[in-house]
Amino acid sequence: MPTYDAAPQLDPPTREEELVFREIYDQWHARIYSLSMYVTRSAFMSEEITQDVFLKLWNQRSSLAQIEHLPAWIRTITINTTINYLRKKAREQLLLKNYLEQAHEQTDDGFQGLRERELAGLLQGIVKDLSPQQQKVWELTRGGGMTLEQAAIEMGITRNTAKEHLARAIKTIRSRMDGHIELMVTAAVGLFL
């Protein structure tokens, strides 16, 4: 079975290639950076583009001395590298935008619904553990849409007694829900976003 090297073996650069490349680097670095900065208006992108241009120049180092119109050649490489970089960034941003839109749709449809069901299940469990009177006043006022006075009449108790049962029910529910704050926040976010 043949073996493969991780990277191809390149001939080491000659002293002349290094000198020519160094001269080009010293002469053109600021110009390439300035051009890319003018187009991108981003220091980070300009550094990336400048590095890519010099990498391309380095890979062509053996033929640099033979190029007749080196300034035009370098400008062309810089412009093409800048355009390619901007196209790549635009594609990445479009992909990210599409991904975020899909993730938001999935969150709305799947994850958010799951969180709401979990929260509803947790609340039902807590309500089942309330005293019968607290349970009844909670269900009538929160689930049944009755006012506190209507719930009191339905239960055959005074309004103040119904109010006391509801206050205790709310206190119990809040204290038991405190341990599930992440679930409550996640479900609430879905209501507003």
Side-chain angles (χ1 to χ4, degrees):
M1 183 172 204
T3 59
Y4 298 97
D5 292 333
Q9 297 297 320
L10 299 175
D11 293 330
T14 65
R15 180 74 180 140
E16 182 183 342
E17 289 172 343
E18 285 181 11
L19 291 173
V20 169
F21 183 81
R22 185 59 171 165
E23 185 178 320
I24 292 170
Y25 180 87
D26 290 342
Q27 184 178 2
W28 284 91
H29 181 271
R31 293 179 192 178
I32 293 170
Y33 180 85
S34 295
L35 175 63
S36 59
M37 184 66 161
Y38 176 78
V39 173
T40 65
R41 304 208 189 290
S42 164
F44 176 77
M45 286 185 194
S46 298
E47 284 293 335
E48 291 281 314
I49 291 167
T50 303
Q51 185 177 9
D52 284 351
V53 168
F54 280 108
L55 182 61
K56 289 174 184 177
L57 290 171
W58 178 254
N59 289 336
Q60 296 294 320
R61 68 184 178 272
S62 60
S63 60
L64 288 178
Q66 290 85 28
I67 296 173
E68 287 183 40
H69 301 287
L70 188 63
W73 191 73
I74 291 174
R75 281 188 201 100
T76 301
I77 289 176
T78 302
I79 290 167
N80 290 340
T81 302
T82 302
I83 290 169
N84 290 340
Y85 190 84
L86 290 174
R87 283 181 183 154
K88 179 182 173 190
K89 287 296 171 193
R91 273 192 311 272
E92 288 173 358
Q93 287 179 342
L94 182 62
L95 288 172
L96 180 61
K97 180 182 175 231
N98 289 341
Y99 171 78
L100 290 175
E101 285 174 358
Q102 288 175 354
H104 183 68
E105 288 171 10
Q106 290 173 354
T107 298
D108 287 347
D109 297 342
F111 183 71
Q112 189 61 35
L114 176 64
R115 289 295 191 182
E116 288 171 0
R117 287 190 300 277
E118 284 181 49
L119 186 59
L122 177 64
L123 182 58
Q124 283 177 343
I126 295 170
V127 169
K128 284 181 182 176
D129 291 341
L130 295 173
S131 73
Q133 294 291 74
Q134 291 173 0
Q135 207 176 87
K136 184 81 171 169
V137 75
W138 174 266
E139 289 171 356
L140 291 174
T141 58
R142 299 305 192 248
M146 291 185 174
T147 66
L148 196 54
E149 287 180 13
Q150 292 170 329
I153 293 169
E154 173 78 22
M155 294 173 65
I157 57 176
T158 68
R159 183 183 184 284
N160 285 340
T161 304
K163 183 178 178 181
E164 187 63 33
H165 286 306
L166 184 59
R168 288 183 182 163
I170 290 171
K171 184 177 180 182
T172 301
I173 290 169
R174 282 185 181 155
S175 69
R176 297 260 314 267
M177 292 290 256
D178 277 347
H180 303 279
I181 192 72
E182 179 185 306
L183 181 61
M184 292 178 359
V185 168
T186 306
V189 164
L191 298 174
F192 296 102
L193 298 180

